[in-house]
C-alpha cells in the first residue's frame, strides 16, 4: 500500500516502519497517525511478519512528537483508537517492536519509542517529555510507561523538569538497550531483530504478552496463576512451533519455525 507520510519496508520476516516527515523532524499529525494505524494493523495480521522496527527518516529526528504548527493553525487533531502514531494505545500487539532512535525523540516521539519493546539509540539521540514547556502533558502513555520502565522517582525527575536525556543516560536509566554510532543504528536494530527471528515467533509473542499482562496483575501470584488464560500462551500450546522445538532439539537440528 502507498503511504504519503510513512514508508513501510519488508525484509523477510522483518517490517520496518519509517516516519517520513523529515521537513518537520518527523512530527506527526492526524493523517500520519491514521496511516500508521493501517500499517500496524497490516503488520499484526500478516503471519509472515514477525518483528517490527520503527525509525525516522533523515538523520535529525526519530520524531519531534506532535506537530504543534499543524495544531496551532487549526489542523485536524483526530487520532485512531490505537492512539498516537497508531501505536501508543495499541495494547493487543504481541509481535515485538524495536525503536531505532536516530535523533530527537521528544514528547510523542519518546512515547512512540516507549511503546516499543526495545530501544536502540544513535549517539545523536535525545529523549525528553517536554510537553509542560508548551502547556501540554505527555498523555499518550509517556507518563505511565516511563515510570514502569525506570521506576517512579527517576521518571519523575525527567517528567517534572522536562529535561533532555542523552542516549548514554537513557541506557544508565534502563530504557535504552544499546547505543550505537549513527551509521550503525539500522544495522544494529536489524541484528536485534534477526536474533529475535531465530526464536519461535509463538514463544516470543507468548512471552511479550505474559510480561505486559502480568505487570497489570495485582500480585506475582496472580500473574503466574493467570498467565495460561492469555491468548498468545494458549496459541503457543496448540501451535506447530510447540511441537517443532522439542523435535528439532531431539534430532539435533535447527528448528524450522512456522509462526503458527
Amino acid at each position: 500500500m502507498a503511504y504519503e507520510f510513512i514508508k513501510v519496508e519488508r525484509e523477510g520476516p522483518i517490517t520496518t516502519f519509517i516516519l517520513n516527515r523529515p521537513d518537520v523532524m518527523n512530527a506527526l499529525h492526524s493523517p500520519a497517525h491514521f496511516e500508521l494505524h493501517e500499517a500496524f494493523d497490516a503488520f499484526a495480521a500478516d503471519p509472515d511478519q514477525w518483528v517490527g522496527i520503527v525509525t525516522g527518516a533523515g538523520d535529525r529526528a526519530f520524531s519531534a512528537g506532535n506537530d504543534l504548527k499543524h495544531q496551532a493553525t487549526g489542523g485536524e487533531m483526530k487520532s485512531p483508537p490505537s492512539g498516537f502514531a497508531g501505536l501508543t494505545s495499541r495494547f493487543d500487539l504481541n509481535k515485538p517492536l524495536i525503536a531505532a532512535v536516530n535523533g530527537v525523540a521528544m514528547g510523542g516521539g519518546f512515547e512512540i519509542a516507549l511503546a516499543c519493546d526495545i530501544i536502540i539509540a544513535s549517539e545523536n539521540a535525545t529523549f525528553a517529555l517536554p510537553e509542560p514547556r508548551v502547556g501540554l502533558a505527555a498523555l499518550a502513555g509517556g507518563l505511565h510507561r516511563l515510570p514502569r520502565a525506570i521506576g517512579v522517582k527517576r521518571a519523575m525527575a525527567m517528567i517534572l523538569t522536562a529535561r533532555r536525556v542523552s542516549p548514554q543516560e537513557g541506557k544508565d536509566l534502563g530504557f535504552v538497550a544499546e547505543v550505537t554510532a549513527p551509521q550503525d543504528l539500522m544495522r544494529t536494530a536489524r541484528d536485534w531483530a534477526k536474533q529475535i527471528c531465530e526464536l519461535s515467533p509463538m514463544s516470543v509473542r507468548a512471552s511479550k504478552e505474559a510480561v505486559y499482562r502480568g505487570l497489570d496483575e495485582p500480585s506475582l501470584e496472580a500473574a503466574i496463576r493467570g498467565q495460561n488464560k492469555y491468548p498468545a500462551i494458549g496459541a503457543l500450546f496448540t501451535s506447530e512451533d510447540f511441537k517443532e522445538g522439542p523435535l528439532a532439539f531431539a534430532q539435533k537440528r535447527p528448528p524450522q519455525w512456522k509462526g503458527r
Side-chain angles (χ1 to χ4, degrees):
M1 180 176 177
Y3 296 107
E4 184 176 357
F5 303 111
I6 66 171
K7 293 180 181 179
V8 179
E9 300 174 351
R10 294 180 177 86
E11 180 183 352
I14 301 169
T15 300
T16 301
F17 304 88
I18 303 168
L19 312 178
N20 191 32
R21 303 187 74 214
D23 53 322
V24 290
M25 298 184 72
N26 300 317
L28 300 182
H29 58 357
S30 184
H33 295 319
F34 280 92
E35 286 191 357
L36 285 159
H37 172 80
E38 292 182 11
F40 283 119
D41 275 357
F43 170 68
D46 189 340
D48 296 324
Q49 294 305 296
W50 296 355
V51 182
I53 299 172
V54 184
T55 194
D59 56 8
R60 295 176 60 209
F62 175 74
S63 173
N66 184 35
D67 188 340
L68 295 177
K69 291 183 180 179
H70 177 82
Q71 178 179 349
T73 55
E76 189 175 55
M77 295 304 297
K78 292 182 179 178
S79 60
S82 52
F84 194 88
L87 184 60
T88 59
S89 294
R90 185 181 292 271
F91 299 109
D92 59 354
L93 180 64
N94 53 34
K95 295 181 180 181
L97 293 177
I98 298 168
V101 180
N102 54 308
V104 167
M106 305 280 275
F110 189 18
E111 290 176 301
I112 296 169
L114 288 170
C116 296
D117 305 296
I118 296 170
I119 298 176
I120 309 300
S122 166
E123 291 169 344
N124 67 348
T126 303
F127 301 91
L129 295 175
E131 283 86 347
R133 295 188 184 277
V134 291
L136 303 175
L139 300 177
L143 299 180
H144 306 289
R145 287 192 169 98
L146 188 60
R148 285 168 167 77
I150 66 174
V152 173
K153 296 301 183 185
R154 287 184 291 184
M156 291 299 271
M158 286 185 62
I159 292 165
L160 298 184
T161 61
R163 70 183 184 86
R164 299 186 178 193
V165 167
S166 70
Q168 186 56 55
E169 185 179 357
K171 186 175 181 182
D172 294 341
L173 288 169
F175 65 79
V176 170
E178 185 172 351
V179 180
T180 76
Q183 66 270 22
D184 295 332
L185 177 67
M186 291 309 298
R187 177 189 59 78
T188 302
R190 291 189 185 99
D191 285 346
W192 278 78
K194 289 173 183 177
Q195 288 183 62
I196 295 171
C197 288
E198 293 174 0
L199 313 176
S200 161
M202 303 301 291
S203 297
V204 168
R205 293 168 202 166
S207 298
K208 173 176 173 174
E209 187 172 78
V211 168
Y212 288 124
R213 292 188 64 163
L215 287 171
D216 291 333
E217 297 283 2
S219 67
L220 174 61
E221 179 181 359
I224 293 172
R225 290 187 183 278
Q227 63 188 0
N228 288 344
K229 299 177 183 177
Y230 302 158
I233 291 181
L236 168 65
F237 290 154
T238 59
S239 69
E240 293 182 38
D241 284 1
F242 192 67
K243 300 175 183 177
E244 168 65 7
L247 181 62
F249 179 82
Q251 295 176 350
K252 298 181 180 180
R253 60 172 176 81
Q256 301 297 312
W257 305 123
K258 300 294 181 60
R260 59 176 185 268

